[in-house]
Amino acid sequence: MSSCCLIYTRHMKSHTDERPHKCHLCGRAFRTVTLLRNHLNTHTGTRPHKCTDCDMAFVTSGELVRHRRYKHTHEKPFKCSMCDYASVEVSKLKRHIRSHTGERPFQCSLCSYASRDTYKLKRHMRTHSGKFDTFTAFLHATQNYNVHLL
DNA sequence: CCTCCCTAGCGCCCCCTGCTGGC
DNA sequence: GCCAGCAGGGGGCGCTAGGGAGG
């Protein structure tokens, strides 16, 4: 079997709900043993990927790479085409670009306020506290955004 | 077929700063 | 003028999923 067929076979598995590797601590199931191992490390506090420049340690190698970019190498691969802003993470660049476009996808269900990111909406919901179930309102707003994306 | 590793993505929380309204 | 409350922008980490590469 060619490598692309192997990748295709594995990809098709991602469309199934087959998750044979179950966490004995919380019951959550995963597709691969690697994912389960990482998940178990979050329970046990095991952090095998240690930073050589400080005392931080992480569950995955990817987290360590990101940490090193933030704290030590200051490498920022994601650059804004409209200004000098650059970011370690693409999600941060996307959030930044909304400040150029003015896009506010996260609408408050209780007032006219709309936010450019989820946490700002959640923080805003505190100003409605006492008037409504803020978590429900937040959920409603974020679900609207997800539906919009679909 | 399995595992490791890297990348992508979503989420959460925090900090700093500027604005505004009440005192 | 001072202060508190709020929003905007951004930094940093937690965690999971997908896919390339090699054993």
Side-chain angles (χ1 to χ4, degrees):
Chain A
M1 196 188 293
S2 68
S3 64
C4 69
C5 286
L6 288 169
I7 291 165
Y8 176 74
T9 304
R10 188 175 60 175
H11 169 75
M12 291 310 288
K13 278 192 173 183
S14 72
H15 290 303
T16 73
D17 289 333
E18 192 182 348
R19 291 164 183 264
H21 307 281
K22 192 170 183 177
C23 173
H24 66 282
L25 295 173
C26 71
R28 188 166 176 179
F30 297 87
R31 278 197 309 108
T32 69
V33 68
T34 305
L35 285 171
L36 173 60
R37 189 181 304 130
N38 285 343
H39 171 79
L40 281 170
N41 283 342
T42 70
H43 282 304
T44 62
T46 306
R47 293 165 179 260
H49 300 273
K50 302 185 191 308
C51 180
T52 53
D53 291 324
C54 69
D55 57 357
M56 292 284 284
F58 301 89
V59 170
T60 68
S61 59
E63 289 172 73
L64 175 59
V65 168
R66 185 178 56 179
H67 159 79
R68 290 189 50 75
R69 282 179 176 166
Y70 270 121
K71 294 293 190 183
H72 305 302
T73 68
H74 305 293
E75 181 192 359
K76 297 180 176 182
F78 304 100
K79 304 186 190 309
C80 179
S81 59
M82 289 175 268
C83 71
D84 291 338
Y85 176 78
S87 174
V88 169
E89 300 175 74
V90 68
S91 63
K92 299 297 184 290
L93 177 60
K94 286 179 178 175
R95 185 177 64 179
H96 164 80
I97 287 173
R98 290 196 196 115
S99 69
H100 288 303
T101 64
E103 185 191 8
R104 292 168 181 268
F106 305 100
Q107 174 69 50
C108 176
S109 59
L110 299 175
C111 70
S112 61
Y113 174 77
S115 170
R116 296 193 175 113
D117 71 83
T118 54
Y119 184 69
K120 296 298 186 302
L121 176 60
K122 194 174 181 180
R123 187 180 62 179
H124 163 81
M125 284 304 181
R126 290 181 201 150
T127 67
H128 294 303
S129 62
K131 299 173 186 170
F132 192 71
D133 179 345
T134 55
F135 178 73
T136 303
F138 173 71
L139 216 57
H140 179 70
T142 53
Q143 281 171 352
N144 279 350
Y145 178 54
N146 289 336
V147 167
H148 174 71
L149 287 177
L150 293 173

